[in-house]
Amino acid sequence: MVVGSGQGLVNVMHAAEVPIVLGAQSLTPVWLETVLKTYTEWIHPASAFTIVAPLLFGVGKRTTAVHLLLVAGISDLTNLLLKWTIAGDRPYWVDDRVRQFPMTCEAGYGMPSGHVQAFTTVTYFLLMRWAASRSVMFIHTLFVLTGAFSRVYTGAHFPTQTIAGWAVGATFGIGGHHVLSSTRA
């Protein structure tokens, strides 16, 4: 076992989650690994700025794109500040049995998950903006759960870190929509 760099109750909790990460890694079929690694890259926080917003601009949804950039930028900054404040270790810092992947060689703290937070912020913002149906929201939930699982499987995060990322992201996505709803695109 490797001792993590962070301190406090949050890292005691994370140490208790190591068996969940190890279980996810050992019980997931080999064929699914490529899918999970690709998905974890697809939900990268930079996607809001490099893919989604330019696409919205391209299809004439300029106000939506600007609002999304504002909400995603504030959410991303908040993620950084929370990571520095909470200082939650990553699974591969806590236990050397956790398999680490090249795309998850993260140097910063892991609480909350930036990937899950960014994906949730962007998608909730857009789904609220476009008044998505319940069935679309259900499908969205499956995508969020897949993203969270991919982050646990790749050893980048503990389950609680992905849950925290979802909670913060949902707050920014839904809250950002409500704050900016008077100037809909």
Side-chain angles (χ1 to χ4, degrees):
M1 179 153 314
V2 177
V3 177
S5 61
Q7 305 214 358
L9 181 60
V10 72
N11 288 318
V12 170
M13 178 178 59
H14 291 158
E17 292 180 276
V18 167
I20 297 170
V21 176
L22 292 172
Q25 290 185 337
S26 66
L27 297 174
T28 300
V30 175
W31 64 266
L32 196 53
E33 181 176 308
T34 302
V35 173
L36 292 172
K37 290 187 328 189
T38 301
Y39 198 79
T40 203
E41 287 297 311
W42 182 69
I43 64 169
H44 193 281
S47 297
F49 306 99
T50 60
I51 298 170
V52 181
L55 183 63
L56 289 169
F57 271 108
V59 297
K61 298 289 188 182
R62 288 175 176 80
T63 302
T64 299
V66 170
H67 288 175
L68 177 66
L69 288 170
L70 179 65
V71 171
I74 294 170
S75 176
D76 197 46
L77 177 61
T78 302
N79 182 269
L80 178 66
L81 295 173
L82 286 171
K83 285 183 181 206
W84 287 348
T85 303
I86 299 169
D89 289 341
R90 293 187 181 269
Y92 51 82
W93 294 357
V94 175
D95 193 309
D96 57 7
R97 295 174 297 166
V98 173
R99 194 166 147 214
Q100 185 180 6
F101 294 84
M103 86 284 286
T104 58
C105 293
E106 314 273 354
Y109 293 114
M111 177 66 126
S113 169
H115 282 67
V116 174
Q117 181 178 327
F119 179 74
T120 304
T121 297
V122 169
T123 55
Y124 269 121
F125 178 82
L126 293 175
L127 291 171
M128 296 296 293
R129 174 75 43 123
W130 296 328
S133 67
R134 287 182 186 248
S135 58
V136 170
M137 292 301 280
F138 175 76
I139 293 167
H140 169 259
T141 300
L142 297 177
F143 280 110
V144 171
L145 290 171
T146 302
F149 183 76
S150 76
R151 300 304 289 161
V152 172
Y153 174 79
T154 58
H157 292 289
F158 290 105
T160 53
Q161 294 172 335
T162 63
I163 293 167
W166 168 81
V168 175
T171 300
F172 275 99
I174 295 168
H177 161 72
H178 287 299
V179 168
L180 300 169
S181 64
S182 63
T183 53
R184 294 184 77 168

